[in-house]
Amino acid sequence: SRAATFTKSHRIVFSSTLLVAAMQASGKERAMEWASGWSKIAVATARERPGAALAVVAAVGAALPFLLCALALAALTFLGLALPLSFATAAWWVVTNRDSEKKQDGPSTILSRLRAGTLRLSTLSEGSERVCSEISNRGSSIAEISNKTVDLLVVYSGQADFKMEGGDDAARLVARRIADIVERPSVCHTHGDDDSNNTPCTPPRTVCAVDVETLCDVETHFPGGPSLEKMLADGCANVLFVVESSVCLESPSDALRKFKRKLKALSFANTDRTACAPFTTVAVSRSVGPDGSVWCGPKVGGKAGAEFDREIDELFCDKTTRLCPRCDAEIEHNGPGVVDRWAREVLVPALGGFAPLTPRILSLSSTHTALLTRHLGARDSVVGCDSWFHDTEHGVGDVSVTKIPRIDPWAPDLELVKQLNPTLIVCAYDASAEALREIAPRWRLGDSFAKRESVCEGEGDSSSFSFEIVTLPCPLGRDCLRKSAAQILTLGGLARVDENVAQQASDKLTDGLLEIRAKAEKAFGGDRGSIRNDNHENPKTKTLRPQPWIFIEADPELFSADSCTPLGAALAEGLGVGNIADPVWSDETLSSTDDASLSSRAAAALALRMKIPNEEKSAPKDTHYPQLSASRFWSPREPDWWVVAHPTDSGLSATEKSFGDSLDPEDRERHAALREKRVVALSNHLCHAASQWTPELVDVVAAVFEEMAKRVDEIEVVVEEEEAIVEVQEDTEAKEVQETQEANDVNAFRDADGTSFDSAMEPTSAQTKREVLHDSLRDRNLRGLPKSFLTTDLPVLGITHLDLSKNELSELPGLGSLANSLKVLKLERNWFEKVPPEVGTLPFLEELDLSRNFVRPSDASLALDSLSKLKHLKVVDLRWNRKVCTAEVLARMRRRLSGGPVEESDSNACESDGISSVDVRVTVSFPAPDGAFVGSSPADRNANLLRAQLEPWSTLQLRRRLIEDFHQDQAAVGDPERVLRAEVMSLLLRRYETEGLLTPKGIAQRPQRRVVGTPVPELHLAPLRVELKAWLEQRAKGAKGNVQERPSIDAEAYMILRSPTDFNAKLGAGSRAARKAADKFAKFECLWKCAEIALRGVDSAFANEFTALAVTYQFQGSPHIDKQNVGPFYGLAIGDFADGTGGICVESTARTVLAVNTKHALGKIDGRFPHWVAPWDVENSTRFSLIYYRTTGDPEPITAAAFDGDGIGVGGDSERESSPEDEE
């Protein structure tokens, strides 16, 4: 067999050789034939046309000298220029790279090159076999660490995938900069001294830097050298970890993950220190790419560095101490200033055993200057401030308070900034920060590091001018007060003031407003907040006064501040007032009021006087400091109080008058607040405080509250006098006419016995504190309580019932002060996510009502351990909490609160002796009771059946319909615990059948009203058809049969496309769902654009707002409600189904259905009503549909179920007015 194989192989090789020889031979023959052919052509041409042949020969002869000259010139040029340049380039390359050969460098070679200055840290790539680069002249290599201890070991972990411009990764760049600062003599900055008076605090220190990948493999590359444990424990005095997070995803590198695994397996038992050296961490993040484009926005620090610091702290917490606090640095947007400041003020003093240095702060914001000087106790740290800061401490008699230098924040004097030599600059606006970029420190980037570089560009020693820029903008939005309090803590951390001082300043803002709110509720709430009721059957019944409205006059031109600004939010939170500058109102209500003509004339007069356009003529600007139009002062309502928040004559500080002072008496009479002198003019100091977001906002609100309370008392005195006069007149008239029904003519504010109604309602000694608290704290829109409210503001004697229902509370500080008396605690309709932990300190508590909150079902959130210890507890009400809704949670709570074990299988069961049975109330919705629903999803329900059309409604809405629309006795069906959903649905269907709206077979017979959508031109439909067919084919081929993204809907294909504005914001956070949405959008972008063009021709505004597009094929029935929608949607159907079929049916009222025709037309429907697709011929026709909807942004109010082509709501036959229960 071997011989046969050899013979066969030999034949193959021989045949291949013959084939190659034949090809070569054939090539020679073809060349000979070609030359012979051309020679014959030339001979024939010379014989037939001798003149042409002579001309060719003459031309070649004439051109030959020129060709020879050109070749000679080219040769001379190459020899004279190109060849020497090539030799010079080669020589330069050899000289500059003679030390960068591919051979492996040993420790001794690295050390010699470091001392010679030919090697820098940045030239060593992460993961190479070059182990350690010494940055100081007295550094040490890894081989010498066992014999010599360095002062600081810098371990850095960079991201090789994202390089800085110039070649360095961020971690290596930060490590090099910190090492340059530490290795030089540090300078101790004495505040207020010149640079000449600065004295060295510590000598230069030795630094060794190494990347984590090389450190992990040090024992492999250097056998016999120091181990990782020796390096971290005995080879260095301190350890600094520099960890870089990857851009956007903020994930650690693979090398860092490996290093963490190595650290967890280390044992320092064999080291001299028996523990790791003191450590700290620098968390590095990046946000800007090399071309300057922002990838994820500026982020301080990084998730990878913070997690690494936390894990190291937990790993070495027993024996290892922390060197100094962690540094969080965003190095591209903020530059190297944050690293420089931390290294000089924190790290270097910590290496010498000293506390951090005090920063030199330049504050270019009046708010932050006021916080530093008046609230954080850091005036000595402020070396400069902005021009508009109102300094209340300087010039008032205290000679020790020096004047702070002033700098214009919009055009700063850069030379003066250098003279002040700040290390921290605080700005409120980006423009101020950008103006300082010219002198801000920069990174030194580049490929060549042969020469020693300085820390700052253009400077050469450790005292180089460098500073950190921090922008703390004005907080805006509904939670601007929370942001303001958090900003105070942030500023305190930057200024390194005592945490308790910063926390006290932050609490002064939040708790101070809450304390004023409590006083306001006592002063204006209860009987003071009541008005007369015209109910003659019960004249003592009184309703709450409507919410007062204010206008904040920011300047005489009617510029104001809404409730999303610090001043507006402080007044809203502290006084519970509304703001007419809030942009949630429209002028549509003006035409519906009785005095529309009078208000319109007054608004026109005001607009003419102030030359301010009406809202109808000018679109509102997107700002929280708007200039109000004239009509806003009467729609939706006229302001009750007028707050002047700029200096005026009445404020004794300026010559500028307020808007009211500039009006003549006739114009002032048009404004009730000006006419009745309900005006609060702030003083000069409070005007400055009103423009800031400091704790002094509490003083502003307190001043407004005092003026309001004073004016209310005056008004009440006048009202009482007028009522007394009217009463005397009525009594006189009654006596004159001798009527027999004098009791009916008595004033509603008088009781039958002649005593004042207000005095009759005052709590007597026999009344319990429960009534007072009930009237004061229930339904007050409270978002929080002061920490001292339950301990000092309320009488602790006899408080057994505390009712805080119908508020927005999420915690109860100081509840333990009521431990000796409280028995009933009602917290219904609040924002609690867990049972307040202070409940466990109430030993006499009998009833706890936490219904209609947001409590979570975990044992910790339910506080089962604490509740199980309350021996007097009888009732725990957790009904209507969405998370606490399962039978398992109810069984677990009953078992734990009745003395059962933590788990059924737990052998250590708790004893139940002495513990009474507890009534645990939970609304169980899962698993659903029998008969509650028909079908597991809308796809399983027949849309022709009335019950299927009603299934999307909640049980509460069905119960309300049964009572209000069909007049069912509320006592019979109103109890949700006794009458369940199945019974409610059965009673409701019987009512429909009684009225003839339901057949015996369950088919709905409710009348339908036709609504025609806006037709879409064929020009827009044609490309849509092409894209939809391509989509269906592509989905069927590429989705492996899974073309239904919404299984609860009956459709053969269903796809959702998200808008780029929806998923782009989430891509920066590393969301996988956003990445999938972006990929899907890129795949079907043409379909999206065609659909958008079709919608833009009908409603261009909604085409810019919709955030998602649902594309379906063969959609059928499926009654449902789109709970995630925040407004109406547009629907478009395309196909060959019959006209008048396949539209969208939506329930308008209890007895009316709207049928919207969407075939080749766009219909506007509110998906928050039950809706479904009308029947159509599924077997013999096709139907595509496009649904444009919005799931983000401000929600639109629910008005009509469908809209006509003009956008006007289409109602049913029996629309009912909303009740207070609906609003709740």
Side-chain angles (χ1 to χ4, degrees), residues 26-317:
S26 60
K28 293 180 180 180
E29 293 178 356
R30 285 196 299 272
M32 293 297 295
E33 292 178 358
W34 180 82
S36 176
W38 274 106
S39 62
K40 291 180 180 179
I41 292 173
V43 171
T45 302
R47 186 184 303 111
E48 296 176 358
R49 298 181 181 180
L54 292 175
V56 171
V57 172
V60 173
L64 187 60
F66 292 99
L67 293 175
L68 295 176
C69 292
L71 291 175
L73 182 61
L76 292 175
T77 303
F78 176 75
L79 294 175
L81 296 178
L83 193 61
L85 184 60
S86 301
F87 282 114
T89 303
W92 172 84
W93 186 87
V94 170
V95 171
T96 57
N97 294 276
R98 66 177 184 268
D99 294 325
S100 300
E101 300 177 2
K102 295 183 179 180
K103 62 181 180 179
Q104 176 177 333
D105 289 330
S108 58
T109 307
I110 293 178
L111 183 60
S112 61
R113 289 173 57 192
L114 284 168
R115 291 173 176 172
T118 60
L119 180 64
R120 292 289 293 176
L121 167 66
S122 57
T123 62
L124 300 180
S125 60
E126 183 176 353
S128 65
E129 295 182 356
R130 301 177 175 92
V131 180
C132 182
S133 61
E134 179 180 302
I135 302 182
S136 67
N137 293 332
R138 292 174 295 181
S140 58
S141 63
I142 288 182
E144 298 175 344
I145 286 182
S146 58
N147 300 323
K148 179 181 178 182
T149 301
V150 297
D151 295 323
L152 181 64
L153 174 63
V154 182
V155 181
Y156 61 92
S157 171
Q159 294 287 344
D161 296 336
F162 301 97
K163 294 291 184 180
M164 293 283 290
E165 183 181 5
D168 265 330
D169 60 73
R172 182 184 291 116
L173 202 68
V174 172
R176 183 189 65 188
R177 195 172 188 94
I178 293 176
D180 286 338
I181 296 175
V182 173
E183 69 177 347
R184 294 188 175 94
S186 62
V187 177
C188 182
H189 293 280
T190 302
H191 187 76
D193 294 346
D194 298 331
D195 291 343
S196 59
N197 295 331
N198 295 334
T199 57
C201 292
T202 57
R205 300 183 180 275
T206 56
V207 182
C208 180
V210 60
D211 63 87
V212 294
E213 187 170 356
T214 304
L215 197 61
C216 290
D217 300 331
V218 61
E219 298 177 359
T220 304
H221 294 296
F222 294 92
S227 62
L228 182 58
E229 296 91 333
K230 285 285 187 180
M231 292 183 63
L232 296 178
D234 303 332
C236 59
N238 302 279
V239 183
L240 170 64
F241 299 101
V242 181
V243 180
E244 177 188 0
S245 297
S246 61
V247 177
C248 297
L249 298 181
E250 298 193 50
S251 58
S253 62
D254 295 337
L256 184 61
R257 293 190 180 95
K258 181 180 178 181
F259 182 64
K260 289 193 290 187
R261 291 193 297 268
K262 295 276 289 186
L263 290 178
K264 293 179 181 179
L266 291 181
S267 175
F268 298 97
N270 297 327
T271 61
D272 297 338
R273 193 193 295 265
T274 67
C276 179
F279 72 95
T280 188
T281 309
V282 177
V284 180
S285 64
R286 297 181 52 207
S287 59
V288 184
D291 56 350
S293 61
V294 177
W295 289 352
C296 307
K299 296 181 180 180
V300 178
K303 183 177 180 181
E307 290 183 351
F308 178 82
D309 182 73
R310 177 180 55 80
E311 293 176 3
I312 294 299
D313 193 17
E314 294 176 355
L315 186 62
F316 300 146
C317 62

Side-chain angles (χ1 to χ4, degrees), residues 523-574:
F524 305 141
D527 295 333
R528 293 287 298 273
S530 302
I531 59 176
R532 185 177 61 185
N533 195 324
D534 293 332
N535 186 0
H536 297 286
E537 297 180 359
N538 187 6
K540 292 186 178 182
T541 302
K542 297 166 46 172
T543 59
L544 292 179
R545 184 187 302 274
Q547 181 188 35
W549 291 76
I550 64 170
F551 165 63
I552 303 174
E553 182 182 322
D555 73 349
E557 297 297 326
L558 295 186
F559 280 92
S560 185
D562 64 14
S563 298
C564 292
T565 61
L567 175 59
L571 291 173
E573 291 291 333

Side-chain angles (χ1 to χ4, degrees), residues 754-799:
T755 59
S756 172
F757 179 76
D758 288 341
S759 61
M761 290 300 296
E762 290 293 330
T764 62
S765 58
Q767 289 179 297
T768 63
K769 302 300 181 181
R770 174 189 59 181
E771 297 176 355
V772 178
L773 295 177
H774 183 279
D775 291 341
S776 301
L777 300 178
R778 182 182 176 89
D779 195 11
R780 297 300 182 188
N781 294 325
L782 299 177
R783 293 188 177 181
L785 293 176
K787 294 181 179 179
S788 60
F789 183 77
L790 296 177
T791 57
T792 59
D793 290 356
L794 295 180
V796 297
L797 181 61
I799 298 182

